[in-house]
Amino acid sequence: MNKRADQPVNVICLKYGTRYPASYVNKLHAGVTRHLKRPFLFHCCTDDPTDIAEDVKIIPFPDNPGIKSHWPHVLVKLMLTKDGFGDLAGPTLFLDLDLVIMDDLDPFFDY
C-alpha cells in the first residue's frame, strides 16, 4: 500500500485541439472518481479549459520547446513526466482521454 495513503495522488490527462471535447475529460474524471478510493487530484493539461468540470485542475499546455516538426507532437506526453511539470509532486498516473475506467485504479498506486 502507498506509504503516504493520506496524501493525495495525481491523475493527469492531456487535451489539445478539437479531436476530443471537454466531455471526454469530464467522463474520465467521473470514472476516476468512481474507481479510485484514495484521495486524488485530477489534472488536465489543455489549450482550452472551456466546459471542463470546475474540480479538474487545469495545467496550461506547454509552449513548443523547439521541435521543428508539427506541434504539438507526441513528445508532449513525455514532457508530462518531467519532474515538477505543472507543479505536480508525488505519485502521478497519466490516462489517455479515450480510456473507459472499468475497475479499481488503486493498484496503480500500490505498486
Side-chain angles (χ1 to χ4, degrees):
M1 174 157 263
N2 182 5
K3 294 176 186 161
R4 298 176 302 182
D6 58 329
Q7 297 280 338
V9 296
N10 299 298
V11 178
I12 187 170
C13 66
L14 181 63
K15 177 189 161 317
Y16 183 85
T18 58
R19 182 172 184 180
Y20 296 101
S23 62
Y24 277 70
V25 176
N26 298 335
K27 288 175 185 174
L28 184 62
H29 176 255
V32 171
T33 299
R34 277 191 303 277
H35 295 289
L36 187 58
K37 312 285 184 293
R38 68 190 70 220
F40 71 93
L41 298 171
F42 192 93
H43 308 268
C44 180
C45 178
T46 184
D47 63 330
D48 181 10
T50 305
D51 296 327
I52 293 176
E54 62 185 49
D55 50 343
V56 173
K57 305 212 179 300
I58 301 299
I59 298 173
F61 199 82
D63 293 328
N64 185 337
I67 295 172
K68 294 183 173 68
S69 65
H70 177 71
W71 182 254
H73 193 275
V74 69
L75 295 176
V76 172
K77 286 183 181 179
L78 291 176
M79 293 175 73
L80 300 178
T81 66
K82 182 180 176 190
D83 281 344
F85 178 83
D87 294 327
L88 297 178
T92 303
L93 176 65
F94 172 80
L95 298 173
D96 277 320
L97 284 180
D98 58 355
L99 290 175
V100 176
I101 309 298
M102 306 267 309
D103 205 349
D104 187 13
L105 292 172
D106 286 284
F108 284 105
F109 295 102
D110 292 339
Y111 177 71

